[in-house]
Amino acid sequence: MSKIDHETLSYNHGLYQANLLMQIFYYNDNDYSFLDVWEDNKEDILNTVPLNKPSKWTLLHYWIDTSFHVEDDIKEIFKFTAGSKEYFEMLKDYLIDTGLLPNLEEPNFGDSCDQEDQCYDSTCKCWKLISAWEDHFLMNADNVKKSIVHATFQIMFNNRRFMHDFNVMVAKLIEKDIDFIIEKKPEYISLKKKRVKRATYWPIWLKQALLYRDKGTCVLCRKDVTSQYHIASDLEIDHIVPLDLYGTNDSTNFQLLCKSCNASKQAGSTSTNLINVPFWNI
């Protein structure tokens, strides 16, 4: 097993962003749907995310990253908060959640500061302090965004139903644009089959991620497969949406199966399972 660094994960804001994107995905009520992002950026996506091998930066990462704009988010917070105190608290919450809390003096909201209205007076001590926090936030905006994108992916990747539905949509786009992909990235495609080429290896970090997400069990029959994972063997890693159905080798399109289920799953099947292992039963 390779070592994975422990990190601060921005779960509060990641949960919010994941919920927003799944609402967009299932109800298509926003301009930031994956379909829109693909149509507007398909060439850049193909240059950024390889379809012929697993990558740590996935199609889902690309969508999350494109849909989330830190500076715009802060402007919206400022516009709709009731006063400078609420604005500061929300700004501070972003920095706590992303592990970027600065060693700066906090404003002491009291009689000398109007909490009902936005404070624009540059002579007001509280606003000077808030401005320092805002400058720190904007200076670290890229790291704030990176942290929230990373956390949002962790949450969405754990949802196998969404991973299935997301990759079914991806497959439809691949099928529609297969000639475009062949033109721009012929190395991704088997020209004879006009399908994405099969990956030739599974990186260790992907095996570990699937073992962790799928709790070391076969997704379909629930058999414990941890005993199959050792140096001389390999995990049975399955494409959720098969390559024959225009699936890809994107890291979001895999699940853990036992040898029997992987051998019996048909090339035309996108079977997965919504059963999971809870922390405890109630």
Side-chain angles (χ1 to χ4, degrees), residues 86-119:
E86 184 180 352
Y87 175 62
F88 171 74
E89 293 298 336
M90 295 185 76
L91 198 64
K92 181 181 175 182
D93 184 62
Y94 260 101
L95 295 168
I96 291 174
D97 202 36
T98 54
L100 295 167
L101 195 66
N103 185 24
L104 292 172
E105 183 181 353
E106 297 187 24
N108 182 20
F109 297 97
D111 295 336
S112 61
C113 178
D114 183 357
Q115 297 182 30
E116 301 300 322
D117 300 311
Q118 295 286 6
C119 177

Side-chain angles (χ1 to χ4, degrees), residues 51 167 170-172 174 195-197 239-250 253:
L51 303 180
N167 279 288
V170 168
K172 291 177 180 177
I174 298 297
R195 301 291 192 276
V196 174
K197 290 179 179 177
H239 290 82
I240 298 173
V241 178
L243 299 179
D244 282 354
L245 296 182
Y246 295 93
T248 73
N249 296 293
D250 188 68
N253 190 34

Side-chain angles (χ1 to χ4, degrees), residues 64-94:
I64 299 167
D65 185 74
T66 305
S67 67
F68 181 52
H69 306 280
V70 176
E71 291 87 350
D72 292 343
D73 214 28
I74 284 301
K75 291 175 184 176
E76 290 298 303
I77 290 172
F78 184 82
K79 187 188 300 182
F80 292 107
T81 49
S84 52
K85 181 177 181 180
E86 184 180 352
Y87 175 62
F88 171 74
E89 293 298 336
M90 295 185 76
L91 198 64
K92 181 181 175 182
D93 184 62
Y94 260 101

Side-chain angles (χ1 to χ4, degrees), residues 64-226:
I64 299 167
D65 185 74
T66 305
S67 67
F68 181 52
H69 306 280
V70 176
E71 291 87 350
D72 292 343
D73 214 28
I74 284 301
K75 291 175 184 176
E76 290 298 303
I77 290 172
F78 184 82
K79 187 188 300 182
F80 292 107
T81 49
S84 52
K85 181 177 181 180
E86 184 180 352
Y87 175 62
F88 171 74
E89 293 298 336
M90 295 185 76
L91 198 64
K92 181 181 175 182
D93 184 62
Y94 260 101
L95 295 168
I96 291 174
D97 202 36
T98 54
L100 295 167
L101 195 66
N103 185 24
L104 292 172
E105 183 181 353
E106 297 187 24
N108 182 20
F109 297 97
D111 295 336
S112 61
C113 178
D114 183 357
Q115 297 182 30
E116 301 300 322
D117 300 311
Q118 295 286 6
C119 177
Y120 295 100
D121 186 354
S122 60
T123 64
C124 177
K125 182 181 180 182
C126 76
W127 183 248
K128 287 183 178 180
L129 294 175
I130 292 172
S131 295
W133 281 75
E134 187 179 57
D135 289 344
H136 172 79
F137 181 96
L138 294 174
M139 187 169 61
N140 289 277
D142 287 346
N143 289 328
V144 170
K145 179 174 182 175
K146 181 180 178 182
S147 179
I148 294 173
V149 168
H150 186 46
T152 304
F153 175 82
Q154 307 300 310
I155 294 162
M156 298 178 81
F157 184 70
N158 266 295
N159 185 334
R160 257 198 321 271
R161 177 194 168 190
F162 174 73
M163 287 296 89
H164 171 275
D165 297 346
F166 176 73
N167 279 288
V168 167
M169 172 181 277
V170 168
K172 291 177 180 177
L173 295 172
I174 298 297
E175 181 178 12
K176 177 179 71 71
D177 291 324
I178 191 68
D179 291 330
F180 178 85
I181 298 170
I182 290 173
E183 177 189 348
K184 299 296 181 180
K185 287 289 182 179
E187 64 271 26
Y188 291 172
I189 305 297
S190 168
L191 299 181
K192 183 178 179 180
K193 293 183 176 181
K194 293 191 79 170
R195 301 291 192 276
V196 174
K197 290 179 179 177
R198 185 171 297 276
T200 57
Y201 76 102
W202 308 127
I204 292 176
W205 56 263
L206 177 66
K207 297 176 188 178
Q208 291 182 177
L210 295 175
L211 268 172
Y212 179 81
R213 187 197 65 188
D214 296 339
K215 308 297 193 296
T217 60
C218 172
V219 165
L220 296 182
C221 75
R222 312 309 300 160
K223 175 183 177 182
D224 185 341
V225 298
T226 53

